[in-house]
Protein backbone atom coordinates (compact mmCIF):
# COMPACT_ATOMS: atom_id res chain seq x y z
CA UNK A 1 0.00 0.00 0.00
CA UNK A 2 1.29 3.47 -0.77
CA UNK A 3 2.78 5.39 2.07
CA UNK A 4 3.05 9.09 2.62
CA UNK A 5 6.20 10.34 4.38
CA UNK A 6 4.11 12.85 6.30
CA UNK A 7 2.73 11.70 9.64
CA UNK A 8 -0.64 12.90 10.80
CA UNK A 9 -2.34 13.34 14.13
CA UNK A 10 -5.87 12.07 14.52
CA UNK A 11 -8.39 14.93 14.48
CA UNK A 12 -10.33 15.97 17.51
CA UNK A 13 -13.94 14.99 16.99
CA UNK A 14 -15.71 16.41 20.00
CA UNK A 15 -15.13 18.70 22.95
CA UNK A 16 -14.12 16.62 25.98
CA UNK A 17 -15.39 17.46 29.42
CA UNK A 18 -13.02 18.20 32.26
CA UNK A 19 -13.16 14.65 33.67
CA UNK A 20 -12.44 12.89 30.40
CA UNK A 21 -9.09 11.33 29.70
CA UNK A 22 -7.49 12.57 26.50
CA UNK A 23 -5.70 10.57 23.83
CA UNK A 24 -3.27 11.81 21.18
CA UNK A 25 -2.73 9.42 18.27
CA UNK A 26 0.23 10.00 15.98
CA UNK A 27 -0.26 8.20 12.67
CA UNK A 28 2.52 7.27 10.29
CA UNK A 29 2.28 5.74 6.84
CA UNK A 30 -0.55 4.51 4.70
CA UNK A 31 -4.27 5.14 4.50
CA UNK A 32 -4.91 1.88 6.33
CA UNK A 33 -3.06 3.25 9.34
CA UNK A 34 -5.18 6.40 9.20
CA UNK A 35 -8.27 4.21 9.24
CA UNK A 36 -6.88 2.11 12.11
CA UNK A 37 -6.18 5.25 14.13
CA UNK A 38 -9.77 6.36 13.69
CA UNK A 39 -10.98 2.95 14.83
CA UNK A 40 -8.66 2.99 17.85
CA UNK A 41 -10.12 6.38 18.74
CA UNK A 42 -13.62 4.92 18.45
CA UNK A 43 -12.68 1.98 20.68
CA UNK A 44 -11.16 4.31 23.27
CA UNK A 45 -14.23 6.53 23.32
CA UNK A 46 -16.06 3.75 25.15
CA UNK A 47 -13.32 3.90 27.79
CA UNK A 48 -13.86 7.61 28.39
CA UNK A 49 -11.05 8.91 26.17
CA UNK A 50 -11.60 11.98 24.03
CA UNK A 51 -9.20 12.86 21.20
CA UNK A 52 -6.89 15.85 21.41
CA UNK A 53 -4.64 17.52 18.87
CA UNK A 54 -2.25 18.66 21.62
CA UNK A 55 0.22 15.99 22.69
CA UNK A 56 1.13 17.91 25.85
CA UNK A 57 -2.40 17.67 27.26
CA UNK A 58 -2.87 13.94 26.52
CA UNK A 59 -3.20 11.27 29.22
CA UNK A 60 -2.48 8.60 26.60
CA UNK A 61 -0.14 8.91 23.61
CA UNK A 62 -0.32 6.27 20.88
CA UNK A 63 2.18 5.96 18.04
CA UNK A 64 0.50 4.11 15.16
CA UNK A 65 3.57 3.03 13.24
CA UNK A 66 4.55 2.04 9.70
CA UNK A 67 7.28 -0.49 8.87
CA UNK A 68 7.52 -0.06 5.10
CA UNK A 69 10.55 2.24 4.89
CA UNK A 70 14.11 1.84 6.11
CA UNK A 71 14.91 2.70 9.70
CA UNK A 72 11.21 2.88 10.58
CA UNK A 73 11.86 1.20 13.92
CA UNK A 74 14.74 3.60 14.66
CA UNK A 75 12.41 6.54 14.13
CA UNK A 76 9.91 5.02 16.54
CA UNK A 77 12.55 4.53 19.24
CA UNK A 78 13.71 8.11 18.73
CA UNK A 79 10.15 9.37 19.26
CA UNK A 80 9.79 7.12 22.30
CA UNK A 81 12.94 8.64 23.78
CA UNK A 82 11.31 12.06 23.68
CA UNK A 83 8.11 10.68 25.17
CA UNK A 84 10.13 9.04 27.96
CA UNK A 85 11.29 12.48 29.09
CA UNK A 86 7.72 13.78 28.98
CA UNK A 87 6.53 10.83 31.07
CA UNK A 88 9.25 11.39 33.68
CA UNK A 89 8.24 15.03 34.01
CA UNK A 90 4.58 14.07 34.40
CA UNK A 91 5.38 11.42 36.99
CA UNK A 92 7.42 13.92 39.00
CA UNK A 93 4.32 16.11 39.08
CA UNK A 94 2.13 13.21 40.24
CA UNK A 95 0.34 12.99 36.86
CA UNK A 96 -0.33 9.95 34.71
CA UNK A 97 0.88 9.54 31.16
CA UNK A 98 0.50 6.23 29.36
CA UNK A 99 2.40 5.44 26.18
CA UNK A 100 1.42 2.87 23.57
CA UNK A 101 2.92 1.66 20.30
CA UNK A 102 0.56 0.30 17.66
CA UNK A 103 0.77 -0.68 14.02
CA UNK A 104 3.32 -2.56 11.96
CA UNK A 105 6.46 -1.74 13.95
CA UNK A 106 4.61 -2.98 17.03
CA UNK A 107 3.78 -6.22 15.21
CA UNK A 108 7.37 -6.70 14.03
CA UNK A 109 9.19 -5.68 17.22
CA UNK A 110 6.80 -6.88 19.95
CA UNK A 111 8.58 -7.55 23.25
CA UNK A 112 11.71 -5.82 21.97
CA UNK A 113 9.93 -2.47 22.33
CA UNK A 114 9.26 -3.10 26.02
CA UNK A 115 12.86 -4.25 26.52
CA UNK A 116 14.39 -1.20 24.87
CA UNK A 117 11.96 1.42 26.13
CA UNK A 118 10.73 1.05 29.74
CA UNK A 119 8.34 3.99 29.38
CA UNK A 120 6.05 2.04 27.01
CA UNK A 121 2.96 0.57 28.67
CA UNK A 122 1.23 -1.15 25.75
CA UNK A 123 2.33 -2.67 22.43
CA UNK A 124 -0.62 -3.53 20.18
CA UNK A 125 -0.54 -5.00 16.69
CA UNK A 126 -2.57 -3.81 13.69
CA UNK A 127 -4.74 -6.93 13.88
CA UNK A 128 -5.56 -6.55 17.58
CA UNK A 129 -6.36 -2.90 18.15
CA UNK A 130 -9.93 -3.86 19.07
CA UNK A 131 -8.35 -5.22 22.27
CA UNK A 132 -6.67 -1.91 23.08
CA UNK A 133 -9.13 -0.89 25.86
CA UNK A 134 -8.55 -4.18 27.70
CA UNK A 135 -4.79 -3.84 27.25
CA UNK A 136 -4.88 -0.35 28.75
CA UNK A 137 -6.89 -1.58 31.74
CA UNK A 138 -4.23 -4.23 32.38
CA UNK A 139 -1.47 -1.63 32.00
CA UNK A 140 -3.16 0.66 34.47
CA UNK A 141 -3.11 -2.20 36.97
CA UNK A 142 0.66 -2.47 36.59
CA UNK A 143 1.21 -4.88 33.69
CA UNK A 144 3.24 -4.03 30.61
CA UNK A 145 1.26 -5.49 27.76
CA UNK A 146 2.20 -6.89 24.36
CA UNK A 147 -0.82 -8.00 22.32
CA UNK A 148 0.04 -8.92 18.74
CA UNK A 149 -1.34 -12.48 18.39
CA UNK A 150 -4.58 -12.85 16.44
CA UNK A 151 -6.81 -15.37 14.76
CA UNK A 152 -7.30 -14.58 11.08
CA UNK A 153 -10.98 -15.49 11.18
CA UNK A 154 -11.57 -12.88 13.91
CA UNK A 155 -9.97 -9.99 12.02
CA UNK A 156 -13.14 -8.08 11.18
CA UNK A 157 -15.38 -9.34 13.98
CA UNK A 158 -14.53 -6.62 16.47
CA UNK A 159 -14.37 -3.38 14.52
CA UNK A 160 -15.93 -0.74 16.78
CA UNK A 161 -18.78 1.10 15.10
CA UNK A 162 -18.51 4.86 15.36
CA UNK A 163 -21.44 6.90 16.55
CA UNK A 164 -23.02 9.15 13.96
CA UNK A 165 -21.71 12.26 15.68
CA UNK A 166 -18.14 10.93 15.50
CA UNK A 167 -18.47 10.15 11.80
CA UNK A 168 -20.07 13.49 11.05
CA UNK A 169 -17.19 15.34 12.72
CA UNK A 170 -14.68 13.72 10.36
CA UNK A 171 -16.09 15.26 7.23
CA UNK A 172 -17.70 14.28 3.97
CA UNK A 173 -15.08 11.73 2.86
CA UNK A 174 -14.31 8.52 4.71
CA UNK A 175 -12.19 5.37 4.53
CA UNK A 176 -13.76 1.93 4.80
CA UNK A 177 -11.56 -1.15 5.20
CA UNK A 178 -12.72 -4.14 3.15
CA UNK A 179 -9.56 -6.25 3.02
CA UNK A 180 -6.35 -6.72 4.95
CA UNK A 181 -3.10 -8.52 4.47
CA UNK A 182 -1.33 -9.76 1.36
CA UNK A 183 -0.42 -13.16 -0.10
CA UNK A 184 1.75 -11.86 -2.94
CA UNK A 185 5.06 -11.89 -1.00
CA UNK A 186 6.93 -9.34 -3.06
CA UNK A 187 10.54 -9.76 -2.01
CA UNK A 188 10.90 -6.12 -0.94
CA UNK A 189 7.78 -5.96 1.23
CA UNK A 190 7.17 -6.59 4.91
CA UNK A 191 3.35 -6.36 4.75
CA UNK A 192 2.65 -10.13 4.65
CA UNK A 193 4.67 -10.47 7.85
CA UNK A 194 3.14 -7.54 9.75
CA UNK A 195 -0.42 -7.56 8.38
CA UNK A 196 -0.78 -11.27 7.73
CA UNK A 197 -2.42 -13.17 4.88
CA UNK A 198 -5.21 -11.80 2.72
CA UNK A 199 -8.52 -11.64 4.57
CA UNK A 200 -11.72 -10.20 3.13
CA UNK A 201 -14.25 -8.41 5.28
CA UNK A 202 -17.77 -9.88 5.11
CA UNK A 203 -20.12 -8.23 2.65
CA UNK A 204 -22.81 -7.46 5.22
CA UNK A 205 -20.35 -5.63 7.48
CA UNK A 206 -19.16 -3.48 4.59
CA UNK A 207 -22.67 -2.56 3.47
CA UNK A 208 -23.78 -1.77 7.02
CA UNK A 209 -20.81 0.51 7.65
CA UNK A 210 -21.20 2.22 4.28
CA UNK A 211 -24.84 2.95 5.09
CA UNK A 212 -23.89 4.36 8.51
CA UNK A 213 -21.33 6.62 6.87
CA UNK A 214 -23.85 7.93 4.35
CA UNK A 215 -26.47 8.42 7.06
CA UNK A 216 -23.93 10.60 8.87
CA UNK A 217 -23.30 12.87 5.90
CA UNK A 218 -20.42 11.13 4.13
CA UNK A 219 -20.57 11.63 0.35
CA UNK A 220 -17.38 9.84 -0.72
CA UNK A 221 -16.07 6.47 0.47
CA UNK A 222 -12.62 5.05 -0.26
CA UNK A 223 -12.37 1.27 0.11
CA UNK A 224 -9.09 0.24 1.70
CA UNK A 225 -6.94 -2.86 1.61
CA UNK A 226 -3.29 -3.78 1.35
CA UNK A 227 -4.43 -5.59 -1.78
CA UNK A 228 -7.97 -4.27 -2.06
CA UNK A 229 -8.87 -5.85 -5.38
CA UNK A 230 -8.23 -9.29 -3.88
CA UNK A 231 -11.47 -8.86 -1.89
CA UNK A 232 -13.78 -11.87 -2.23
CA UNK A 233 -17.05 -12.87 -0.55
CA UNK A 234 -20.14 -14.93 -1.21
CA UNK A 235 -22.83 -12.65 -2.61
CA UNK A 236 -26.57 -12.85 -1.95
CA UNK A 237 -26.92 -14.64 -5.29
CA UNK A 238 -24.75 -17.48 -4.00
CA UNK A 239 -21.79 -16.87 -6.30
CA UNK A 240 -18.38 -15.50 -5.36
CA UNK A 241 -18.25 -11.73 -5.54
CA UNK A 242 -15.14 -9.70 -6.27
CA UNK A 243 -14.41 -6.03 -5.76
CA UNK A 244 -16.23 -5.09 -8.95
CA UNK A 245 -19.44 -6.71 -7.68
CA UNK A 246 -19.03 -4.90 -4.36
CA UNK A 247 -18.68 -1.56 -6.12
CA UNK A 248 -21.85 -2.16 -8.13
CA UNK A 249 -23.72 -2.89 -4.89
CA UNK A 250 -22.30 0.11 -3.04
CA UNK A 251 -23.26 2.36 -5.95
CA UNK A 252 -26.91 1.54 -5.20
CA UNK A 253 -26.79 3.28 -1.79
CA UNK A 254 -28.74 6.56 -2.07
CA UNK A 255 -26.59 9.55 -1.18
CA UNK A 256 -23.26 7.81 -1.76
CA UNK A 257 -21.98 10.07 -4.52
CA UNK A 258 -18.40 8.88 -4.97
CA UNK A 259 -16.44 5.65 -4.67
CA UNK A 260 -12.69 5.05 -4.75
CA UNK A 261 -10.43 2.16 -3.76
CA UNK A 262 -6.75 1.63 -2.98
CA UNK A 263 -4.28 -0.15 -3.19
CA UNK A 264 -4.53 -2.64 -6.06
CA UNK A 265 -2.31 -5.36 -7.49
CA UNK A 266 -2.22 -5.76 -11.29
CA UNK A 267 -2.82 -9.52 -11.05
CA UNK A 268 -6.20 -8.98 -9.36
CA UNK A 269 -7.55 -6.41 -11.82
CA UNK A 270 -10.27 -8.61 -13.33
CA UNK A 271 -12.89 -8.06 -16.04
CA UNK A 272 -15.72 -7.30 -13.61
CA UNK A 273 -13.71 -4.57 -11.92
CA UNK A 274 -12.80 -3.02 -15.26
CA UNK A 275 -16.49 -3.14 -16.24
CA UNK A 276 -17.35 -1.26 -13.04
CA UNK A 277 -15.11 1.57 -14.19
CA UNK A 278 -17.01 1.61 -17.47
CA UNK A 279 -20.51 1.51 -15.96
CA UNK A 280 -20.48 3.35 -12.62
CA UNK A 281 -20.53 7.14 -12.61
CA UNK A 282 -19.95 7.05 -8.87
CA UNK A 283 -16.62 5.22 -9.33
CA UNK A 284 -14.05 7.96 -9.78
CA UNK A 285 -11.69 7.88 -12.80
CA UNK A 286 -8.52 7.57 -10.71
CA UNK A 287 -6.66 4.31 -10.20
CA UNK A 288 -3.62 3.61 -8.05
CA UNK A 289 -2.01 0.55 -9.65
CA UNK A 290 1.61 0.00 -8.59
CA UNK A 291 4.11 -1.53 -11.02
CA UNK A 292 7.34 -0.91 -9.02
CA UNK A 293 9.72 -1.37 -11.97
CA UNK A 294 9.71 -1.38 -15.76
CA UNK A 295 12.32 -4.14 -16.02
CA UNK A 296 11.07 -7.70 -16.40
CA UNK A 297 14.27 -8.98 -14.82
CA UNK A 298 13.74 -6.83 -11.73
CA UNK A 299 10.01 -7.63 -11.64
CA UNK A 300 10.92 -11.32 -11.46
CA UNK A 301 13.41 -10.63 -8.67
CA UNK A 302 10.68 -8.69 -6.86
CA UNK A 303 8.26 -11.63 -7.29
CA UNK A 304 5.69 -9.32 -8.84
CA UNK A 305 4.41 -12.11 -11.12
CA UNK A 306 3.65 -9.85 -14.07
CA UNK A 307 5.73 -8.38 -16.86
CA UNK A 308 6.00 -4.77 -17.98
CA UNK A 309 4.12 -5.64 -21.18
CA UNK A 310 1.30 -7.30 -19.23
CA UNK A 311 1.01 -4.17 -17.08
CA UNK A 312 0.86 -1.92 -20.14
CA UNK A 313 -1.79 -4.11 -21.77
CA UNK A 314 -3.85 -3.89 -18.58
CA UNK A 315 -3.59 -0.09 -18.59
CA UNK A 316 -4.71 -0.08 -22.24
CA UNK A 317 -7.76 -2.24 -21.39
CA UNK A 318 -8.73 0.08 -18.55
CA UNK A 319 -8.36 3.20 -20.65
CA UNK A 320 -10.32 1.61 -23.49
CA UNK A 321 -13.42 1.61 -21.25
CA UNK A 322 -12.52 4.76 -19.29
CA UNK A 323 -10.52 7.14 -21.51
CA UNK A 324 -10.24 9.84 -18.84
CA UNK A 325 -8.72 7.47 -16.26
CA UNK A 326 -5.89 9.13 -14.33
CA UNK A 327 -3.22 6.65 -13.33
CA UNK A 328 -1.18 6.61 -10.14
CA UNK A 329 1.59 4.18 -9.23
CA UNK A 330 4.46 3.15 -6.98
CA UNK A 331 8.10 2.78 -8.00
CA UNK A 332 11.18 1.43 -6.27
CA UNK A 333 14.61 2.34 -7.60
CA UNK A 334 17.86 0.63 -6.71
CA UNK A 335 16.46 -2.84 -6.08
CA UNK A 336 19.36 -5.31 -5.66
CA UNK A 337 20.94 -6.05 -9.02
CA UNK A 338 19.22 -3.17 -10.85
CA UNK A 339 21.44 -2.09 -13.74
CA UNK A 340 21.40 1.17 -15.68
CA UNK A 341 19.48 -0.66 -18.40
CA UNK A 342 16.89 -1.89 -15.88
CA UNK A 343 16.40 1.65 -14.65
CA UNK A 344 15.99 2.92 -18.20
CA UNK A 345 13.20 0.35 -18.60
CA UNK A 346 11.48 1.95 -15.62
CA UNK A 347 11.73 5.39 -17.20
CA UNK A 348 10.27 3.93 -20.41
CA UNK A 349 7.23 2.48 -18.66
CA UNK A 350 6.63 5.82 -16.96
CA UNK A 351 6.75 7.53 -20.34
CA UNK A 352 4.35 4.95 -21.79
CA UNK A 353 1.73 5.22 -19.01
CA UNK A 354 1.96 8.98 -18.40
CA UNK A 355 1.03 9.12 -14.72
CA UNK A 356 -1.12 11.81 -13.15
CA UNK A 357 0.53 11.08 -9.81
CA UNK A 358 3.01 8.54 -8.45
CA UNK A 359 5.04 7.64 -5.38
CA UNK A 360 8.69 6.71 -5.75
CA UNK A 361 11.24 5.47 -3.24
CA UNK A 362 14.77 4.21 -2.94
CA UNK A 363 14.90 0.51 -2.14
CA UNK A 364 15.48 -0.09 1.54
CA UNK A 365 16.17 -3.47 3.09
CA UNK A 366 13.48 -4.78 5.38
CA UNK A 367 14.77 -7.41 7.83
CA UNK A 368 13.05 -10.73 7.30
CA UNK A 369 12.21 -10.16 3.64
CA UNK A 370 13.95 -12.11 0.85
CA UNK A 371 15.21 -8.88 -0.72
CA UNK A 372 17.37 -8.16 2.31
CA UNK A 373 19.51 -11.21 1.54
CA UNK A 374 19.94 -10.64 -2.20
CA UNK A 375 23.44 -9.94 -3.55
CA UNK A 376 24.38 -6.86 -5.58
CA UNK A 377 22.90 -4.26 -3.23
CA UNK A 378 23.01 -0.88 -4.98
CA UNK A 379 25.19 1.92 -3.56
CA UNK A 380 23.25 4.70 -1.90
CA UNK A 381 24.58 7.40 -4.22
CA UNK A 382 23.40 5.42 -7.28
CA UNK A 383 19.93 4.99 -5.76
CA UNK A 384 19.77 8.70 -4.98
CA UNK A 385 20.72 9.70 -8.52
CA UNK A 386 18.17 7.35 -10.06
CA UNK A 387 15.43 8.51 -7.71
CA UNK A 388 16.12 12.13 -8.62
CA UNK A 389 15.81 11.35 -12.34
CA UNK A 390 12.63 9.33 -11.85
CA UNK A 391 10.97 11.92 -9.64
CA UNK A 392 11.86 14.67 -12.09
CA UNK A 393 9.99 12.79 -14.83
CA UNK A 394 7.03 11.97 -12.60
CA UNK A 395 6.71 15.59 -11.42
CA UNK A 396 6.81 16.73 -15.03
CA UNK A 397 3.96 14.37 -15.86
CA UNK A 398 1.98 15.43 -12.80
CA UNK A 399 2.34 19.10 -13.74
CA UNK A 400 1.32 18.35 -17.33
CA UNK A 401 -1.79 16.50 -16.15
CA UNK A 402 -2.74 19.40 -13.89
CA UNK A 403 -2.23 21.86 -16.74
CA UNK A 404 -4.42 19.71 -19.01
CA UNK A 405 -7.29 20.25 -16.57
CA UNK A 406 -7.27 24.04 -17.00
CA UNK A 407 -10.40 25.11 -18.82
CA UNK A 408 -12.33 21.94 -17.96
CA UNK A 409 -15.65 22.04 -16.13
CA UNK A 410 -15.65 19.33 -13.48
CA UNK A 411 -17.78 18.20 -10.55
CA UNK A 412 -16.10 19.20 -7.30
CA UNK A 413 -16.86 17.71 -3.89
CA UNK A 414 -16.49 20.52 -1.34
CA UNK A 415 -14.71 19.15 1.73
CA UNK A 416 -13.32 21.77 4.11
CA UNK A 417 -12.47 25.46 4.58
CA UNK A 418 -9.37 26.73 2.79
CA UNK A 419 -6.63 28.95 4.13
CA UNK A 420 -8.09 32.14 2.68
CA UNK A 421 -11.40 33.64 3.83
CA UNK A 422 -14.27 32.59 1.59
CA UNK A 423 -12.26 29.72 0.14
CA UNK A 424 -13.29 26.05 0.25
CA UNK A 425 -11.08 23.09 -0.66
CA UNK A 426 -12.58 20.25 -2.65
CA UNK A 427 -11.46 17.13 -4.49
CA UNK A 428 -11.66 16.64 -8.22
CA UNK A 429 -12.70 13.26 -9.66
CA UNK A 430 -8.95 12.66 -10.15
CA UNK A 431 -8.20 13.21 -6.44
CA UNK A 432 -6.62 16.64 -6.92
CA UNK A 433 -7.04 19.31 -4.28
CA UNK A 434 -9.00 22.23 -5.74
CA UNK A 435 -9.46 25.71 -4.24
CA UNK A 436 -12.69 27.58 -5.02
CA UNK A 437 -14.69 30.47 -3.56
CA UNK A 438 -17.73 28.99 -1.84
CA UNK A 439 -19.70 29.15 1.40
CA UNK A 440 -18.99 26.92 4.41
CA UNK A 441 -22.65 25.87 4.25
CA UNK A 442 -21.86 24.23 0.90
CA UNK A 443 -19.41 21.73 2.37
CA UNK A 444 -20.63 18.31 1.31
CA UNK A 445 -22.13 19.61 -1.92
CA UNK A 446 -20.87 18.59 -5.34
CA UNK A 447 -20.83 21.63 -7.60
CA UNK A 448 -19.71 22.34 -11.16
CA UNK A 449 -16.54 24.42 -11.37
CA UNK A 450 -14.18 25.52 -14.10
CA UNK A 451 -10.46 24.96 -13.52
CA UNK A 452 -8.69 28.29 -14.06
CA UNK A 453 -5.17 27.68 -12.79
CA UNK A 454 -2.63 25.36 -11.21
CA UNK A 455 -0.41 25.56 -8.16
CA UNK A 456 2.43 23.33 -6.89
CA UNK A 457 0.05 20.89 -5.20
CA UNK A 458 -3.45 22.02 -6.09
CA UNK A 459 -5.74 23.54 -8.68
CA UNK A 460 -7.78 26.75 -8.64
CA UNK A 461 -11.34 26.96 -9.90
CA UNK A 462 -14.35 29.23 -10.22
CA UNK A 463 -17.99 28.19 -9.76
CA UNK A 464 -20.03 27.64 -12.91
CA UNK A 465 -23.62 28.79 -13.13
CA UNK A 466 -25.78 30.61 -10.58
Amino acid sequence: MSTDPISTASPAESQPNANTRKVFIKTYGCQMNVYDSIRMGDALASEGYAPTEEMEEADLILLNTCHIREKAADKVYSALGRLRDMKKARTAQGQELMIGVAGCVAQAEGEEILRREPSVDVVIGPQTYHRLPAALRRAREGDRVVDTDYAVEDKFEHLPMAEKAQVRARGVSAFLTVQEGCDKFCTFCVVPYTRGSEVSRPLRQILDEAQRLVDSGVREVTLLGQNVNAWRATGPDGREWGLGDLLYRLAEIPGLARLRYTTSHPRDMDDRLIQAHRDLRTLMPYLHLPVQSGSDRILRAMNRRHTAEEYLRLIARIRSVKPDMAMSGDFIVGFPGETDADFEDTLQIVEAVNYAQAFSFKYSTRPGTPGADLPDQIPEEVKAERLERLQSLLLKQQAAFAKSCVGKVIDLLLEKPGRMPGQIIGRSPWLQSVNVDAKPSQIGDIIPVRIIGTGPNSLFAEPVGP
Side-chain angles (χ1 to χ4, degrees), residues 326-339:
M327 295 303 305
S328 171
D330 288 346
F331 292 91
I332 295 173
V333 302
F335 190 79
E338 183 186 67
T339 64

Side-chain angles (χ1 to χ4, degrees), residues 266-285:
R267 286 178 56 84
D268 292 316
M269 199 78 197
D270 59 25
D271 291 342
R272 183 65 167 164
L273 184 51
I274 294 173
Q275 290 169 7
H277 280 286
R278 178 194 65 195
D279 296 339
L280 300 178
R281 292 193 62 185
T282 53
L283 183 54
M284 294 295 97

Side-chain angles (χ1 to χ4, degrees), residues 383-395:
K383 289 192 284 188
E385 188 272 335
R386 289 175 181 171
L387 182 64
E388 184 178 357
R389 288 180 61 195
L390 175 61
Q391 289 184 338
S392 176
L393 175 57
L394 290 169
L395 288 172

Side-chain angles (χ1 to χ4, degrees), residues 171-174 217-222 255-260 282 284 410-417 424-436 438 442-449:
V172 299
S173 298
V218 169
R219 304 297 311 281
E220 177 181 279
V221 168
T222 299
L256 182 50
R258 290 184 167 188
L259 286 165
R260 304 182 189 273
T282 53
M284 294 295 97
I410 67 168
D411 290 332
L412 184 67
L413 173 61
L414 301 178
E415 291 192 349
K416 59 185 179 181
I424 300 295
I425 297 175
R427 290 284 178 182
S428 78
W430 305 289
L431 204 60
Q432 300 145 303
S433 180
V434 181
N435 302 281
V436 66
Q442 292 178 276
I443 289 176
D445 291 348
I446 297 175
I447 65 170
V449 301

